[in-house]
Amino acid sequence: MKLRVLILTLMLLSACSKPTQQESNSASHAVDSVELDETIDTDSEIDEELALYSGQFEWYPEGGAEGGGSLSLEYRGNREFSFSLSTSLNECNASLKGTLYADPSQHAFYQSDEYFLHFNFLLGNTIEIIEDNCREHPNECGFECDYVRKN
């Protein structure tokens, strides 16, 4: 009986012992590779989703005012877009070209000395642009609006 207790105790102790350095390193590499694979899947999914927003978008003023605007987006990969934006309302005109950088939550941003623009991607067909402290054009001629995909 005492021999059985001794054998069970030794078995328990060996099962609870610390892993060797080699076992620790192997386990660490396995965890790292799983995390890396999850990141790659997430990034590729984000790339696929953002690529859907490449295209031509436009807006028209309400209430019969003359004018409108256009937005051209080209997805370059790695959460980066090139864009061209123009607007015209009554006698006011403005245009802008540049590069947008998107975050994982379907928002993209453009910033320069004259502009800060927030692009909010909505349902694949609409992009909302929000301006903050844009000093390059008069307020009534801004880019802030919902741009809808052209058919």
Side-chain angles (χ1 to χ4, degrees):
M1 174 87 168
K2 289 183 182 181
L3 183 58
R4 284 187 185 167
V5 172
L6 179 62
I7 292 172
L8 285 174
T9 305
L10 289 174
M11 288 174 61
L12 284 173
L13 287 175
S14 67
C16 297
S17 65
K18 290 184 178 179
T20 66
Q21 183 66 31
Q22 185 176 4
E23 290 171 335
S24 290
N25 288 342
S26 296
S28 174
H29 289 301
V31 170
D32 290 344
S33 66
V34 169
E35 290 173 4
L36 180 61
D37 290 343
E38 288 174 3
T39 301
I40 290 170
D41 289 341
T42 302
D43 286 345
S44 66
E45 289 172 5
I46 290 170
D47 269 348
E48 287 176 24
E49 189 141 339
L50 288 173
L52 297 174
Y53 289 97
S54 287
Q56 304 294 318
F57 298 80
E58 59 192 1
W59 72 269
Y60 296 99
E62 295 177 3
E66 269 191 47
S70 67
L71 167 64
S72 176
L73 282 179
E74 181 183 340
Y75 189 64
R76 296 188 204 169
N78 201 26
R79 300 183 187 173
E80 185 179 293
F81 288 91
S82 60
F83 77 93
S84 176
L85 185 59
S86 66
T87 188
S88 173
L89 189 59
N90 299 323
E91 295 183 20
C92 184
N93 299 304
S95 62
L96 180 64
K97 290 183 180 185
T99 302
L100 295 177
Y101 298 97
D103 67 16
S105 65
Q106 295 192 322
H107 296 265
F109 304 92
Y110 171 80
Q111 184 170 359
S112 70
D113 291 340
E114 294 83 24
Y115 291 99
F116 180 81
L117 300 176
H118 171 186
F119 291 66
N120 187 10
F121 301 117
L122 306 170
L123 303 175
N125 294 323
T126 304
I127 298 174
E128 174 189 35
I129 297 180
I130 302 165
E131 289 188 49
D132 187 25
N133 294 327
C134 294
R135 298 182 294 267
E136 190 64 24
H137 58 76
N139 286 339
E140 62 274 358
C141 188
F143 299 116
E144 188 164 308
C145 193
D146 288 350
Y147 292 76
V148 178
R149 185 178 297 278
K150 280 174 104 173
N151 292 332

